[in-house]
Amino acid sequence: MALSPVSAEVIHQVEESLDEDEKEMLLFLCRDVTENLAPPNIRDLLDSLSEGGQLSFAALAELLYRVRRFDLLKKILKTDKAAVEDHLCRNPHLVSDYRVLLLEIGENLDQSDVSSLIFLTRDYMGRSKVAKDKSFLDLVIELEKLNLIASDQLNLLEKCLKNIHRIDLKTKIQKYTQSSQEASSNMNTLQTSLPKLSIKEDLYNSRLQNGRSKEPRFVEHHGIQRKPVKASIQESGAFLPLHIYEESYRMQSKPLGICLIIDCIGNNTEFLQETFTSLGYHVRPFLFPKSYEIIEIVRQFACKTQHQDYDSFVCVLVSLGGSQSMMGRDQVYSGFSLDCVKAMFKGDMCPSLRGKPKLFFIQNYESLGSQLEDNSLEVDGPSIKNVDSKPLLPRCCTTHPEADIFWSLCTADVSHLEKSSSSSVYLQELSQQLKQGRKRPLMDVHVELMDKIYTWNSGVSSKQKYSLSLQHTLRKKLILSHT
């Protein structure tokens, strides 16, 4: 991977592609690297690192990897996730495990958890109190300023997490602390057997002691990609520290779950049904439903009690519509909101699927110049985009209702349907990738799918191109196989 300096043009492209949450995360991850100067924005941060000789293409790739913008790795840096992982396994890291740990903890806390933590730390912070509406990362920064938290000083955070009953996150800190102590002990043992080191070597060793494991191993992310995509892929959450054990979703039930297919076009159902049946799903296809029937079908499946016996749920939607809406074969209505479909399967609306992966694959054919998105119908239930209307979780629940969602949305021009036998390239490639990659993490499979779509788009006219995006809030690695 290239170690050459990064140009201003590349920095600008990266800045333009990141959303505000991702920018906040990168500023936090680099606080140690910038010696706590806290640059006010991403452009200044990256420019400062570049001037200091710290922002090589490899370093920028690591940063994009940490916030799971794999699409930008490919689009801007012309590399991929596997290449970054290989580089990180062989070289020192720009970002410490300590920062990655705190980022991952923050992405696993809902707003009520953060509010409780802010309240619990008031006794320690004196006048330096954090406003109630601030994020977990804001709280961490204030605690660091008061020397209440550091890479080797996490007792207060452990105590507070225990008080809000987040024992899972408290355990992560304990594993991190144990790993750091072991790394420090190994380094001290090594130094006693070596001649005196140069200043440069001492600096490198001190970085190892501050959270960088000598033998890092990579794990899949927990958390919400993070929104789950403003560009090609938007993923929410942060990567776990490299030394923390990697968790996977349980995928052992038979069947793995229900696969609901609603196909208003009619050219895709047969091979999709074969694919998801082979993966171990109970497939329920619906061909050519009317608009009002789609709403009833979705509501019916969101209320099914059988979900409690299964480990996941899949929904495939194929229709005319816009990037955020769809309609039935009657086309009486301009369409209804895709976000409302998503909302009906969230943890609060569908408790039997809480904590389980919910996968959505959508192919929408869009008429240019239409106003479908402006006039889409709403179904009962909160919109997933309306943050203010999020229902409160029961006290016993620690999983956010929007967690564990995988949302793959592909749009194409309606002219694709002029041939009666034509089927979606996206769905065909998806079917093939899922069958070939059944033993591999879904995120890796989807990255390869996006590469296939990119290759297709490079050889066709603008009206024949597909636009594919990904949003997800997966907290664990997901492999679609029960064998």
Side-chain angles (χ1 to χ4, degrees):
M1 184 175 296
L3 296 175
S4 56
V6 177
S7 67
E9 179 182 359
V10 169
I11 291 176
H12 177 72
Q13 286 179 313
V14 170
E15 180 193 25
E16 290 290 304
S17 301
L18 297 173
D19 64 29
E20 293 305 314
D21 288 339
E22 291 162 343
K23 291 177 181 178
E24 179 188 11
M25 288 187 280
L26 286 183
L27 288 170
F28 177 81
L29 287 172
C30 292
R31 284 185 65 84
D32 299 329
V33 185
T34 56
E35 299 179 352
N36 292 323
L37 294 179
N41 55 57
I42 287 297
R43 179 182 296 181
D44 290 344
L45 168 67
L46 298 181
D47 187 53
S48 174
L49 292 175
S50 180
E51 289 183 356
Q54 297 170 287
L55 191 68
S56 63
F57 270 83
L60 182 57
E62 178 186 346
L63 294 177
L64 294 177
Y65 177 90
R66 296 299 182 192
V67 296
R68 291 169 299 162
R69 289 305 301 267
F70 305 133
D71 58 319
L72 299 185
L73 291 176
K74 183 167 294 186
K75 178 180 177 182
I76 299 178
L77 302 186
K78 310 304 179 185
T79 186
D80 57 27
K81 178 187 174 199
V84 177
E85 291 180 348
D86 181 68
H87 179 83
L88 291 175
C89 283
R90 302 171 185 272
N91 297 275
H93 307 158
L94 178 70
V95 179
S96 69
D97 283 359
Y98 163 70
R99 292 285 165 193
V100 179
L101 169 69
L102 292 176
L103 189 62
E104 191 273 335
I105 288 175
E107 289 300 321
N108 278 276
L109 296 169
D110 60 33
Q111 190 54 50
S112 63
D113 289 331
V114 176
S115 297
S116 297
L117 289 174
I118 291 174
F119 179 79
L120 288 171
T121 56
R122 292 179 64 181
D123 291 340
Y124 303 88
M125 298 180 67
R127 294 182 179 180
S128 301
K129 296 179 180 178
V130 179
K132 295 181 180 179
D133 60 344
K134 293 296 183 179
S135 68
F136 173 73
L137 298 185
D138 292 327
L139 173 62
V140 169
I141 291 172
E142 290 302 315
L143 292 172
E144 288 179 331
K145 290 178 180 178
L146 297 171
N147 294 320
L148 293 173
I149 185 174
S151 60
D152 58 351
Q153 187 179 342
L154 293 168
N155 293 340
L156 175 59
L157 183 56
E158 274 191 61
K159 179 180 179 181
C160 292
L161 287 171
K162 179 180 179 181
N163 286 337
I164 65 171
H165 310 292
R166 292 306 304 268
I167 305 302
D168 56 327
L169 300 182
K170 176 178 178 290
T171 301
K172 292 183 187 300
I173 293 179
Q174 292 173 333
K175 290 180 179 179
Y176 161 83
T177 302
Q178 180 181 359
S179 177
S180 296
Q181 290 172 347
E182 290 174 355
S184 178
S185 176
N186 291 338
M187 183 59 64
N188 290 335
T189 301
L190 178 63
Q191 286 179 340
T192 61
S193 62
L194 293 176
K196 185 172 180 61
L197 301 175
S198 67
I199 296 177
K200 183 176 181 180
E201 289 168 323
D202 271 330
L203 175 61
Y204 176 72
N205 287 334
S206 70
R207 288 180 177 179
L208 286 176
Q209 294 174 2
N210 284 332
R212 291 180 175 82
S213 171
K214 294 198 301 177
E215 298 180 355
R217 62 184 181 88
F218 287 84
V219 300
E220 202 63 45
H221 55 275
H222 285 203
I224 200 156
Q225 163 232 206
R226 340 32 78 141
K227 107 212 339 271
V229 155
K230 296 297 185 287
S232 297
I233 298 183
Q234 181 180 353
E235 305 168 6
S236 306
F239 282 85
L240 286 174
L242 303 181
H243 52 272
I244 290 181
Y245 178 75
E246 181 181 37
E247 296 181 76
S248 297
Y249 285 102
R250 181 185 187 274
M251 296 292 281
Q252 298 177 1
S253 64
K254 295 186 179 179
L256 285 176
I258 296 172
C259 173
L260 171 62
I261 300 177
I262 301 178
D263 188 352
C264 302
I265 305 301
N267 297 330
N268 307 277
T269 300
E270 186 175 348
F271 67 83
L272 287 172
Q273 186 169 356
E274 188 276 329
T275 295
F276 284 101
T277 298
S278 70
L279 290 173
Y281 284 90
H282 176 46
V283 181
R284 297 292 305 276
F286 292 85
L287 273 172
F288 306 116
K290 295 182 179 180
S291 296
Y292 76 90
E293 291 174 329
I294 295 176
I295 299 174
E296 291 305 317
I297 291 169
V298 172
R299 181 179 287 111
Q300 172 192 347
F301 276 82
C303 296
K304 282 190 175 295
T305 58
Q306 291 98 314
H307 292 310
Q308 65 188 3
D309 301 320
Y310 304 146
D311 289 335
S312 62
F313 170 75
V314 173
C315 180
V316 182
L317 305 175
V318 188
S319 83
L320 291 172
S323 61
Q324 299 298 328
S325 62
M326 67 176 292
M327 58 181 159
R329 64 179 174 86
D330 53 343
Q331 301 183 29
V332 173
Y333 303 109
S334 59
F336 65 91
S337 170
L338 287 172
D339 277 347
C340 286
V341 176
K342 184 192 302 181
M344 294 181 74
F345 291 95
K346 292 192 303 179
D348 52 347
M349 300 292 286
C350 185
S352 57
L353 283 174
R354 180 181 290 136
K356 302 175 183 179
K358 297 163 277 286
L359 317 179
F360 297 85
F361 302 98
I362 303 104
Q363 173 65 76
N364 253 5
Y365 294 97
E366 185 174 7
S367 297
L368 298 178
S370 67
Q371 299 300 318
L372 295 177
E373 295 178 63
D374 296 334
N375 301 301
S376 60
L377 296 176
E378 298 285 338
V379 296
D380 293 337
S383 167
I384 199 167
K385 286 186 175 180
N386 189 349
V387 177
D388 295 331
S389 67
K390 292 176 185 175
L392 295 176
L393 287 175
R395 288 183 178 273
C396 61
C397 176
T398 59
T399 303
H400 197 280
E402 294 184 15
D404 313 299
I405 293 174
F406 187 93
W407 185 262
S408 176
L409 171 63
C410 184
T411 58
D413 189 82
V414 71
S415 60
H416 280 268
L417 302 178
E418 292 175 356
K419 296 180 180 180
S420 59
S421 60
S422 64
S423 59
S424 165
V425 172
Y426 158 68
L427 292 176
Q428 287 179 330
E429 292 291 349
L430 170 67
S431 179
Q432 183 176 356
Q433 292 295 323
L434 288 177
K435 287 190 289 187
Q436 294 178 348
R438 60 194 308 146
K439 298 291 188 180
R440 301 173 55 222
L442 180 59
M443 284 301 307
D444 292 351
V445 173
H446 200 279
V447 168
E448 292 188 8
L449 170 63
M450 298 192 76
D451 187 50
K452 295 285 186 181
I453 298 301
Y454 176 82
T455 301
W456 165 271
N457 286 345
S458 64
V460 298
S461 65
S462 58
K463 275 203 167 186
Q464 293 178 297
K465 293 182 179 181
Y466 289 80
S467 176
L468 177 57
S469 63
L470 171 64
Q471 294 176 294
H472 81 85
T473 58
L474 298 181
R475 299 171 296 118
K476 307 175 185 179
K477 182 172 71 174
L478 175 60
I479 298 177
L480 296 183
S481 175
H482 53 47
T483 58

